[in-house]
Amino acid sequence: MQTYSVVPREYKTVNEAEAISRIKEHKRNLGKQMVILTHHYQRKELVPLGDYTGDSYYLSKVAANEKEAQHIIFCGVHFMAESARILCRPEQIVYLPNPLAGCPMADMAEIDDVLSSWKELKSVLSDSKVIPISYMNSAASLKAFCGDNDGVVCTSSNAHKAFEWGFKRGQKIFFFPDEHLGKNSCNRLKIPADEIIIWDPKKENGGNELEKIRNAKVILWKGYCHVHINFTPEHVKKIREQYPGALVVVHPECSEETVALADASGSTNFIVNYVTEAPSGSVIAIGTEINLISRLADMFPDKKILELTGQTCPMCVNMFRTTLGDLLYTLDNLGKVNIIEVDPEVKQGALLALERMLELN
Ligand code: 13P
Ligand code: SF4
């Protein structure tokens, strides 16, 4: 059961300086009783208020290792707070300051569709062991399905390791819900294209001929991130024409064609490290969410940081939902609002899959 409530108007209109000062006061008063985790895509005024900032893998590790704080505030999207809830101790309380912050990609793999696809797939592949692997961007029920069926969860930082792990335990991998991260992970492991198929849950046998399913090593759920599919190979070519010598770094939720032309690809932490380590004076075009790109531009005035498309604003509106007012409201009402709970029936399987992921690195 989630304890959601409507944010009162005064928190929507509170001015930035006042909200920051009151949030800092809560932080001083609560000390080690509370930690605030902020994902790299959060608004730039929120990030400095975080005790820890990072990618999904890093923040899930922080939640799993946090022993002192009774209150864990996750400024990110629902699947991140839900994973923290599963990984932390039962007596700790996890909060998502804006409960409407979801991930449309995670919603593309609903558990009922996964279960019926699994049944269909197993009837074709009765003599092969199929390992289900879910991207962290998924509901707890899907993580539990993976945990209960000898599978694992991964993030963008360790998907290739999860695939290697899977191939030690079975002949085939069924990966949810991001076909692009799946394809990029296969490419990294040099799995031939004709051994990879896309599974469209709306079609019979995922839209595949039976022979193709039998020959496939990797079956990729048809899903995508609406932010990252905006970045195209044409953008990479254009930026290189405009800025000869520019470096291009993208998130692996981008298409394989875009990743192939980039200089590097990796999780949001990888992108931050890539920009940090680039020499002063570098021109770096980035294919990921705009809030991270503009924060990096502010952090490194000695480097020219460009958004890869050069024209659109690749924003994750769900990450953008969380405001200073939402965080302040949550802190003013600790123990009462925006608490994330996980169905006990799925918690155990999801924990198993997440713990296997933490062991991968
Ligand atoms: P990271 O794990 O790289 O932070 O990615 C999370 C995400 O949602 C990217 O769209
Ligand atoms: Fe989900 Fe894409 Fe937003 Fe990441 S950027 S949280 S994958 S919608």
Side-chain angles (χ1 to χ4, degrees), residues 99-327:
L100 297 176
C103 167
M105 184 217 278
D107 295 341
M108 288 176 191
E110 286 185 8
I111 191 64
D112 290 348
D113 293 336
V114 169
L115 291 176
S116 49
S117 296
W118 182 248
K119 211 166 143 193
E120 225 176 342
L121 194 63
K122 294 294 272 233
S123 72
V124 183
L125 299 173
S126 49
D127 51 357
S128 317
K129 173 96 175 154
V130 184
I131 302 292
I133 302 181
S134 179
Y135 191 18
M136 177 76 106
N137 303 36
S138 58
S141 52
L142 179 47
K143 293 184 176 80
F145 167 79
C146 292
D148 293 339
N149 287 282
D150 303 324
V152 67
V153 166
C154 66
T155 70
S156 58
S157 69
N158 55 25
H160 62 291
K161 289 188 189 167
F163 277 44
E164 285 171 335
W165 181 97
F167 283 127
K168 285 190 191 132
R169 288 157 179 84
Q171 292 84 47
K172 294 174 192 289
I173 284 171
F174 196 6
F175 181 69
F176 320 88
D178 184 11
E179 65 182 87
H180 300 293
L181 176 63
K183 194 74 209 314
N184 288 319
S185 306
C186 289
N187 291 343
R188 193 161 168 173
L189 298 179
K190 305 210 177 334
I191 297 170
D194 60 0
E195 293 179 7
I196 304 165
I197 57 169
I198 304 292
W199 185 276
D200 181 348
K202 291 190 190 74
K203 297 185 177 156
E204 192 180 348
N205 289 317
N208 299 288
E209 289 160 16
L210 297 184
E211 201 46 31
K212 282 245 164 97
I213 298 177
R214 288 191 194 101
N215 288 338
K217 269 187 96 166
V218 180
I219 301 134
L220 301 173
W221 191 264
K222 191 174 169 59
Y224 61 88
C225 164
H226 68 283
V227 176
H228 288 95
I229 55 158
N230 283 307
F231 303 104
T232 63
E234 285 64 42
H235 291 135
V236 181
K237 287 178 202 154
K238 202 164 163 205
I239 217 95
R240 291 216 164 104
E241 272 167 29
Q242 256 181 304
Y243 299 94
L247 297 167
V248 177
V249 58
V250 301
H251 195 277
E253 287 173 13
C254 295
S255 73
E256 62 174 324
E257 293 81 8
T258 304
V259 170
L261 290 188
D263 294 287
S265 88
S267 77
T268 53
N269 262 16
F270 175 91
I271 293 172
V272 171
N273 292 338
Y274 187 86
V275 172
T276 307
E277 282 159 23
S280 182
S282 299
V283 178
I284 310 167
I286 308 178
T288 198
E289 209 273 344
I290 192 69
N291 281 286
L292 173 55
I293 301 174
S294 49
R295 208 155 48 77
L296 286 168
D298 289 349
M299 281 163 69
F300 297 100
D302 61 321
K303 302 171 195 180
K304 191 169 183 65
I305 308 295
L306 305 164
E307 183 270 294
L308 180 56
T309 72
Q311 51 200 329
T312 60
C313 179
M315 178 186 283
C316 176
V317 287
N318 284 285
M319 286 283 184
F320 198 64
R321 280 180 194 276
T322 306
T323 61
L324 285 171
D326 294 330
L327 178 57

Side-chain angles (χ1 to χ4, degrees), residues 26-43:
H26 279 297
K27 281 171 69 91
R28 274 194 304 276
N29 292 341
L30 285 159
K32 291 189 171 167
Q33 279 295 297
M34 173 175 82
V35 286
I36 299 178
L37 314 186
T38 49
H39 185 265
H40 283 307
Y41 293 164
Q42 290 291 290
R43 292 169 183 246

